[in-house]
Amino acid sequence: MGVVIVGAGEAGVRAAFALREAGYQGAVTLLSEEPDLPYERPPLSKSPDALRPIAPEEAYRAAGIRLRLGIWVTHVDIGRKRAETSDGPLAYDHLLLATGAEARRLPGFPEAVHLRRRADAGALFARIVPGARLTVLGAGFIGMELAAVARGLGAQVTVLEVGPRILCRAVPAELAALLHARHAGEGVRIVTDAAAAPLPGALRLASGEVIAHDLLVAGVGSVPRTDLAERIGLEIDNGIVVDAGHQTSAPGIFAAGDCCALRQEAGVLRLESWRIARDQGEAAARAMLGLSAVGSVPYFWSDQYDLCLQVVGLPGGAPLASRVLPGGGRMLFEADAEGRLTRAAALGRDNELARDIKLAERLIAAGIAPVAEALADPGISLKSLLGAGTAVAKAT
Amino acid sequence: MTADASHRKPDMPWIEACTTQDIDEEDLIRFDHDARTFAIYQGPDGTFFCTDGLCTHEDVHLSDGLVMGYVIECPKHNGQFDYRTGEAKRSPACRNLQTYNVRLEGERVLVEIP
């Protein structure tokens, strides 16, 4: 008995350690269908050779976490609280589904490869050599990070995007335009509003132009891995539906990370990012033990060339202010109808924006409504608004 | 940690890193010395501290991070350390930071670097 965790990405691994940190004494079994020691995924699209374990092997032993690699779950008997695995049955008190997401497949492009796992990255980077012609379908994070790395490796890169601009979904237009210009300056060809038809070793655009490639990569989003959850009858809606405590529709079964969708008043919200997966893993672990979660604000980052993009909060607010960072970077703020900060997004060199993003996260978490002029004034420290702004928030 | 000068060993030189004016309260700066890199902090009470400059999770310099109280948060992945003791306080940081003794001579901030 004890806790069985299905999936050893960030959410699953974090949950296992968080159980111990919270004092859980029972058995913790962490199952991974992949053969590798659980590894960090963000570097896969940022660096051709980095493989970083989430934790060293000794850390699992020291924490009493039973890590089982190359094992997957085929079925769960909810009534008897038993998971059937590829290596026999496992009884559980609590089950956590942390099955992640997989790359969305683009129908009709049989040559397209995807990037999600270590093996994908290895196969892909082996083909990105000087002079290689790389075409990327989709100007999202995977596509744009890969474009930057491939340019650094001397490949010729074309990015095709069906939408009107790069990073359409999660990045404010002003910052996306700055990134677009940087990619163009580095020699990446970006075609937006692009409709492409596959040919052998090439794509034909609507204009008739044919773009030949040696490697075609599709970075067109991800789909949650819900097959097991569907098979055992859990509620699914763009992910395994969970409540604020990461409880699924079946008692004793929790879900966290890319595979889950949080039930909100206005539907469900599925969030994908490294830190959100970790925070959700921790929240699910604590919920199993009847403990409250430590509050967190959604956050993600992206590295392209020497530029770093960081976004904290959720979209939906209205533009409030724009700030120039000391190193020349830009930071944009959005607020809700009451003036409370809802999102901050920044683009700058290396880590110049990290401190201000962390302070923005605290302003958002505290529900502070800062004065727009103060946010826009680089001479005013955001730290000073943490105290001062509270009064504003109380006054509204 | 501040250290009494009488405890110093002859082979542990005190290096002048900066002046007290160079670091705001509850803030830090980067200090490079002899191919090594450090972070020097002023706590909210005006006390100075020194740690290794790079986060123990990944080679990211802490000088771009945020100091709140006696905690430094790594600019990249939100690992946290108590910079007085070097203790890793929040995952993904799990290894402690090395700390170094600091003492003041007037406005000069001296760090004991072995």
Side-chain angles (χ1 to χ4, degrees):
Chain A
M1 299 294 271
V3 177
V4 172
I5 301 171
V6 186
E10 293 290 349
V13 172
R14 185 70 206 114
F17 283 97
L19 283 167
R20 293 299 185 222
E21 288 160 19
Y24 182 66
Q25 305 275 328
V28 176
T29 306
L30 179 58
L31 306 178
S32 174
E33 66 179 7
E34 290 185 75
D36 305 294
L37 191 63
Y39 58 89
E40 297 186 349
R41 281 181 215 279
L44 296 183
S45 54
K46 297 176 176 69
S47 162
D49 45 23
L51 186 78
R52 293 184 51 86
I54 295 172
E57 200 165 1
E58 320 72 272
Y60 296 91
R61 264 198 300 278
I65 295 166
R66 191 158 174 236
L67 175 63
R68 297 182 63 192
L69 304 177
I71 307 278
W72 57 95
V73 174
T74 53
H75 193 75
V76 177
D77 185 333
I78 295 175
R80 294 166 65 196
K81 292 196 157 193
R82 216 168 78 143
E84 300 297 336
T85 81
S86 55
D87 192 41
L90 270 176
Y92 65 84
D93 297 308
H94 299 292
L95 183 73
L96 175 62
L97 299 177
T99 46
E102 61 198 334
R104 186 186 298 279
R105 308 279 147 170
L106 207 53
F109 292 86
E111 291 174 2
V113 298
H114 302 83
L115 177 54
R116 189 78 201 172
R117 296 182 173 205
R118 179 195 187 181
D120 301 333
L124 200 147
F125 279 108
R127 295 167 66 187
I128 300 181
V129 294
R133 296 162 303 174
L134 166 67
T135 296
V136 179
L137 290 166
F141 289 111
I142 294 283
M144 299 320 289
E145 289 180 0
L146 195 57
V149 177
R151 279 306 293 150
L153 294 170
Q156 299 174 38
V157 183
T158 304
V159 178
L160 304 180
E161 165 61 43
V162 293
R165 65 172 175 90
I166 69 166
L167 304 170
C168 228
R169 199 159 59 104
V171 179
E174 186 180 339
L175 300 186
L178 292 172
L179 270 169
H180 185 127
R182 176 59 184 274
H183 278 279
E186 297 281 349
V188 174
R189 182 176 175 207
I190 299 171
V191 184
T192 53
D193 297 308
L199 301 172
L203 297 177
R204 182 189 288 127
L205 301 185
S207 64
E209 181 187 356
V210 173
I211 301 173
H213 57 249
D214 301 303
L215 176 61
L216 179 65
V217 178
V220 290
S222 75
V223 285
R225 298 187 65 204
T226 56
D227 44 341
L228 174 64
E230 280 170 48
R231 227 176 299 141
I232 60 181
L234 302 187
E235 184 187 350
I236 311 286
D237 183 358
N238 186 31
I240 306 166
V241 177
V242 295
D243 65 14
H246 288 271
Q247 170 83 56
T248 68
S249 57
I253 303 185
F254 296 75
D258 286 1
C259 70
C260 81
L262 293 162
R263 188 191 301 287
Q264 311 262 289
E265 276 171 35
V268 298
L269 178 67
R270 188 169 81 89
L271 296 166
E272 305 158 67
S273 89
W274 178 84
R275 200 175 96 188
I276 291 163
R278 296 170 53 84
D279 288 348
Q280 290 188 350
E282 182 169 333
R286 295 180 62 84
M288 285 176 191
L289 307 180
L291 302 169
S292 64
V294 181
S296 74
V297 181
Y299 159 92
F300 66 83
W301 85 96
S302 176
D303 297 323
Q304 295 168 39
Y305 310 105
D306 62 345
L307 294 179
C308 181
L309 171 81
Q310 295 194 19
V311 179
V312 65
L314 289 172
L320 176 65
S322 166
R323 182 183 181 95
V324 177
L325 300 175
R330 293 302 291 263
M331 186 161 181
L332 308 179
F333 299 92
E334 294 170 358
D336 64 15
E338 281 77 47
R340 287 184 298 251
L341 209 57
T342 51
R343 182 165 81 146
L347 179 71
R349 216 153 261 131
D350 299 323
N351 290 318
E352 66 161 306
L353 44 75
R355 197 176 298 191
D356 281 341
I357 282 287
K358 287 178 191 307
L359 288 164
E361 178 181 349
R362 285 168 168 80
L363 290 168
I364 293 169
I368 289 174
V371 179
E373 290 72 24
L375 292 174
D377 184 348
I380 296 178
S381 151
L382 294 185
K383 208 177 207 176
S384 71
L385 303 179
L386 264 175
T390 312
V392 178
K394 279 176 185 157
T396 56
Chain B
M1 307 294 276
T2 49
D4 190 310
S6 61
H7 291 158
R8 83 185 259 201
K9 297 173 196 157
D11 58 339
M12 302 271 266
W14 288 91
I15 308 296
E16 182 171 347
C18 60
T19 75
T20 53
Q21 304 301 311
D22 293 333
I23 316 177
D24 292 338
E25 266 185 24
E26 214 180 9
D27 205 351
L28 83 163
I29 62 165
R30 173 179 179 148
F31 170 59
D32 292 340
H33 174 72
D34 201 14
R36 294 165 70 185
T37 189
F38 304 90
I40 301 178
Y41 309 79
Q42 182 175 178
D45 65 350
T47 315
F48 288 78
F49 303 90
C50 179
T51 71
D52 272 339
L54 299 179
C55 180
T56 59
H57 167 244
E58 200 170 307
D59 283 349
V60 172
H61 209 289
L62 294 169
S63 60
D64 288 318
L66 175 66
V67 175
M68 295 294 274
Y70 293 101
V71 171
I72 171 70
E73 183 169 320
C74 170
K76 205 74 185 195
H77 302 131
N78 291 68
Q80 292 184 342
F81 303 90
D82 184 328
Y83 57 81
R84 296 171 296 184
T85 59
E87 185 193 352
K89 301 287 278 185
R90 186 168 84 184
S91 163
C94 46
R95 278 183 297 127
N96 294 343
L97 270 179
Q98 180 68 47
T99 58
Y100 303 89
N101 292 328
V102 174
R103 69 185 168 90
L104 301 183
E105 272 182 11
E107 291 203 337
R108 300 196 304 151
V109 178
L110 302 169
V111 181
E112 191 180 29
I113 298 175

